[in-house]
Amino acid sequence: MLRSPSRSTRGWITAAVLGSVLVGCGSPSGGTADGKAEPTAKTEVTVEPIKAATELTDVNGTRISLDGEPERIVCLFALCDDILTELGIVPTATNSALLAHPGFLGKEKAKEADVIPGGFIAPEVEAILSHKPDLVIGLGDTHGKLAPALKGATTFWAMQPETWEDSVGYLRDVAALTGRTDEGEKAEKAFRTKLAEAEKTPSGKTALVIYGSDENFGVATPETDVAASLFPKIADYPWKSRGVEGSYSLEEILAQDVDVLFVETMSFGDADGKLSEKLADNPLWSKIPAVRGGDVHEVDPEVWAKGRGTRSLGIVLDEATAALR
């Protein structure tokens, strides 16, 4: 039985934390009673105007209040970098590698943002405050513990995205607070249009997105993974979360006859090599139709697992729809 840990550690927990390189957020189960994914509502392309604001309540009910438009923003997780890039803003500092991706700023321009030491799990408070930020944006269930140390020195915004709709909501919120309303509307419109086009001709193939570093891999589910929340719109994606302690067997995956498999290899410490190559040692792996047919795609986890924003999700859609044709 292959196990998945809490969704709050999605893609980020190091070997030192868990005793082995194991990351996850929920596990698969069937969709409807006949094993098919439930139908999803069509994506609305119309974008409501975004109004500039200095205070608002975000998509998760968190109240944010600023004295004015923030000029120095520190990002502690990649959704922040994704949103700022969409709005034409370079963060003052970040601890994500997303900006170096060619679909974002690229390696050279990404150097304009300083790197916060300490890694994703434990970014150094002193380093954060040394940049005199107007706003610090982090992932709630990971960076919420930093709030007391940052209180009084800056505004800390704990985001907690779980679906693409959440990510769009956060994009709109940041656009309102930074005064980049036109840019926000344009980015939302572009993403919604791309998703609406993709769902007009959904693939009849069964898809699966897995992540991890070794045989202890997890399945990305629409309820707990932003990129996976797109898949029921563009393919047969019969995987649903079983909760924090959910687990699944490779036999269950075999039973779904997966046609196209996307693999996010997470590397921590001395870990190297592709997850798909490590799983090749398991005799059951070779029996999966996607593996037999050579339809296994190693994808960039910085974009697929960590980005979560409209620019990352646009790249996910491009790559996924191309593979699912």
Side-chain angles (χ1 to χ4, degrees):
M1 191 70 76
L2 303 174
R3 294 181 61 80
S4 308
S6 167
R7 72 184 182 188
S8 67
T9 60
R10 169 73 169 90
W12 316 102
I13 298 300
T14 61
V17 175
L18 294 180
S20 64
V21 184
L22 175 61
V23 294
C25 70
S27 311
S29 68
T32 58
D34 61 0
K36 297 298 183 180
E38 296 176 359
T40 59
K42 295 299 182 183
T43 298
E44 176 57 61
V45 176
T46 303
V47 173
E48 294 295 326
I50 301 173
K51 296 181 180 180
T54 56
E55 59 181 39
L56 52 78
T57 300
D58 73 15
V59 296
N60 253 342
T62 299
R63 187 71 177 171
I64 301 296
S65 179
L66 300 173
D67 293 332
E69 294 178 3
E71 297 181 357
R72 302 179 62 79
I73 303 175
V74 171
C75 293
L76 301 183
F77 83 128
L79 174 59
C80 173
D81 299 276
D82 188 300
I83 290 173
L84 294 190
T85 301
E86 290 283 64
L87 300 180
I89 302 171
V90 178
T92 300
T94 181
N95 63 358
S96 164
L98 184 66
L99 294 178
H101 187 280
F104 285 79
L105 300 184
K107 291 183 178 179
E108 289 305 312
K109 189 169 178 58
K111 293 177 182 178
E112 294 180 15
D114 289 338
V115 176
I116 297 295
F120 174 76
I121 297 295
E124 295 180 7
V125 172
E126 294 80 3
I128 295 171
L129 294 178
S130 71
H131 293 285
K132 302 186 184 305
D134 303 309
L135 179 63
V136 177
I137 299 176
L139 182 61
D141 56 18
T142 300
H143 304 121
K145 61 182 180 296
L146 298 177
L150 298 174
K151 187 175 182 180
T154 186
T155 298
F156 174 66
W157 189 353
M159 295 182 175
Q160 197 65 50
E162 294 184 353
T163 66
W164 68 266
E165 291 96 337
D166 290 343
S167 293
V168 168
Y170 283 123
L171 167 71
R172 293 177 59 85
D173 291 341
V174 178
L177 290 172
T178 57
R180 303 292 180 103
T181 56
D182 289 344
E183 292 87 346
E185 291 171 14
K186 181 180 178 180
E188 181 183 355
K189 179 75 172 182
F191 173 71
R192 285 184 175 275
T193 300
K194 178 172 289 191
L195 180 54
E197 284 299 313
E199 69 186 14
K200 286 180 181 178
T201 55
S203 172
K205 296 180 179 180
T206 299
L208 170 64
V209 181
I210 65 172
Y211 55 88
S213 296
D214 55 23
E215 68 275 6
N216 294 307
F217 65 87
V219 167
T221 62
E223 301 89 348
T224 55
D225 182 278
V226 177
S229 71
L230 300 174
F231 273 79
K233 290 180 170 291
I234 62 174
D236 176 21
Y237 202 78
W239 318 102
K240 290 189 177 294
S241 173
R242 291 178 177 170
V244 173
E245 295 301 325
S247 60
Y248 63 92
S249 68
L250 202 52
E251 286 85 354
E252 288 177 282
I253 291 176
L254 280 171
Q256 293 291 349
D257 290 329
V258 176
D259 300 302
V260 184
L261 210 161
F262 301 94
V263 183
E264 303 167 358
T265 298
M266 308 293 183
S267 298
F268 302 113
D270 296 328
D272 58 6
K274 296 179 179 179
L275 173 58
S276 57
E277 294 173 346
K278 296 176 182 179
L279 290 172
D281 293 333
N282 189 317
L284 293 178
W285 177 255
S286 63
K287 297 181 180 180
I288 298 174
V291 178
R292 293 201 314 265
D295 227 343
V296 177
H297 305 268
E298 284 275 351
V299 296
D300 188 343
E302 295 296 328
V303 173
W304 278 63
K306 304 175 185 179
R308 312 187 202 202
T310 50
R311 182 165 295 210
S312 294
L313 296 178
I315 295 171
V316 170
L317 278 174
D318 287 342
E319 296 178 354
T321 52
L324 287 164
R325 290 194 184 105

